[in-house]
Amino acid sequence: MTSSSTFAPSRGYSAARPAVRQIGIQDLKAALSRGVDDFLAIPTHVLFVVLIYPVAGVVIAAATFERDLIPILFPLAAGFALIGPFAALGLYELSRRREWGLPAAWTDAYTPLRGRSAKAVLAVGMVLALIFLAWLCAAMGLYWALYGGVTEPSLLAFLDDVLTTPRGWLLIVAGNLVGAAFSLLALAVSAVSIPLIIDKDTDAGTAIETSLALMRENPGTMLAWGAIVAGLLVIGMVSLFVGLAVVLPVLGHATWHLYRRAVAA
């Protein structure tokens, strides 16, 4: 066990790892259904539109005016899923409050960051950020190994090279395999860790351990969940980011209900 005060259980925290349950595809369907119900009851799509489009604008501008950033655009977009569980913190809290019949306004979403669980939540967020940075380094290392650091003059030229040349095809295949490995790691770390911290005031180490245990006990179901999340995020992105305003809150709420089904009370 690490000696870091961030991860070590402190006074008032629940240190015992909760038991995890066996879950199946029906549990995933039920969690998604409950996630849709929460989204309809607490529509947060406007908030996500406000957040998504400025970020998308910066990315598009960078792709247009700074060619050296072109190779990193896809890793940045794909890596969004790695830090998504932390970004969905407010959605978990809204679902929890609705479940208990408490007020569930936008202003209540980030209450956990003002409470005793803030350090634990931020610690998990730091772990996810490190995974995200490692993914970016791996993606750029792969690009440099295949392209020698040469940058195409435009985004269209880069896409043409990637889609029509053997080295581009190798970049796609190898990049997706490496990305899948990082996504699996992020899923194992964060599947239920932040919802558990919010619900039980658990320390970060215990929360991550519980999430890893859930992955070990339900590998097939959790891989299916990861595929569902990835598929919905892709749909949200290819719709010119419009779909993300619905996909992101639904997945956030659904993750809370998956936690409820997967971790023993």
Side-chain angles (χ1 to χ4, degrees), residues 13-261:
Y13 280 88
S14 172
R17 179 177 74 77
V20 295
R21 300 187 180 105
Q22 292 291 324
I23 57 174
I25 299 300
Q26 290 301 318
D27 293 292
L28 303 186
K29 292 180 179 178
L32 284 170
S33 178
R34 294 290 301 276
V36 171
D37 288 343
D38 282 355
F39 172 69
L40 294 176
I42 319 169
T44 52
H45 57 285
V46 175
L47 177 61
F48 278 89
V49 168
V50 171
L51 293 175
I52 290 167
Y53 278 93
V55 174
V58 170
V59 171
I60 292 171
T64 303
F65 300 109
E66 184 52 72
R67 70 178 191 172
D68 290 339
L69 294 179
I70 290 174
I72 207 171
L73 291 179
F74 178 76
L76 279 172
F80 182 79
L82 303 180
I83 57 176
F86 177 76
L89 163 69
L91 300 170
Y92 309 148
E93 174 63 9
L94 290 177
S95 286
R96 184 190 74 84
R97 297 177 77 88
R98 182 172 183 243
E99 181 180 281
W100 285 91
L102 299 172
W106 294 358
T107 53
D108 301 311
Y110 292 95
T111 300
L113 289 180
R114 300 192 294 268
R116 188 171 52 189
S117 60
K119 286 186 178 180
V121 170
L122 292 174
V124 176
M126 289 176 58
V127 172
L128 294 176
L130 289 174
I131 294 174
F132 176 64
L133 291 176
W135 153 243
L136 290 181
C137 291
M140 289 309 298
L142 179 61
Y143 175 80
W144 287 329
L146 294 174
Y147 284 78
V150 177
T151 305
E152 297 292 342
S154 69
L155 179 59
L156 290 178
F158 175 71
L159 291 175
D160 180 68
D161 187 277
V162 169
L163 297 175
T164 62
T165 66
R167 69 176 179 177
W169 300 333
L170 180 57
L171 179 66
I172 292 173
V173 173
N176 278 285
L177 289 175
V178 173
F182 279 101
S183 296
L184 184 61
L185 175 60
L187 176 66
V189 166
S190 64
V192 294
S193 54
I194 296 179
L196 177 59
I197 293 170
I198 292 172
D199 187 37
K200 301 295 185 184
D201 205 17
T202 305
D203 66 280
T206 301
I208 292 175
E209 182 186 353
T210 304
S211 195
L212 294 173
L214 178 64
M215 193 75 176
R216 289 194 302 269
E217 293 295 325
N218 300 276
T221 304
M222 294 309 296
L223 286 175
W225 176 245
I228 291 171
V229 171
L232 290 176
L233 288 175
V234 168
I235 292 173
M237 289 179 182
V238 299
S239 59
L240 299 179
F241 295 93
V242 175
L244 287 179
V246 174
V247 167
L248 291 176
V250 167
L251 285 176
H253 292 304
T255 298
W256 172 263
H257 294 292
L258 181 63
Y259 154 73
R260 280 298 196 205
R261 288 175 167 268

